[in-house]
Amino acid sequence: MTKPPAPKRYLPTSPFKAPVAPSPKHFAVGDQVTHDMYGLGRVIGIEDGIAALVDFGSVQQRILSPYSKMSKL
């Protein structure tokens, strides 16, 4: 198993612009979502900025923020 690459550092003396951080994803109860591992699901609960409880049909999972593998449909 390999580790994902470490994020690149930005140096203040660099002639290139600083990378823009992606905005955090926000989900609401009732949103239909897709997850890379679990597939299609519906958000059934939200913990303020910490996690989302998602019903994937056969299983309910608590997905932790920053929701890197989950996207809104």
Side-chain angles (χ1 to χ4, degrees), residues 8-71:
K8 295 182 180 179
R9 293 187 307 153
Y10 170 73
L11 300 174
T13 58
S14 174
F16 302 103
K17 292 183 180 180
V20 177
S23 61
K25 296 179 185 176
H26 296 284
F27 296 100
V29 174
D31 284 350
Q32 190 170 10
V33 296
T34 183
H35 190 275
D36 290 350
M37 193 165 129
Y38 302 111
L40 293 173
R42 186 166 304 273
V43 177
I44 58 173
I46 295 289
E47 296 176 29
D48 294 331
I50 300 171
L53 183 61
V54 183
D55 181 17
F56 291 104
S58 60
V59 67
Q60 291 182 356
Q61 287 290 326
R62 184 173 177 253
I63 309 296
L64 298 175
S65 181
Y67 313 114
S68 59
K69 295 183 179 184
M70 189 165 76
S71 60

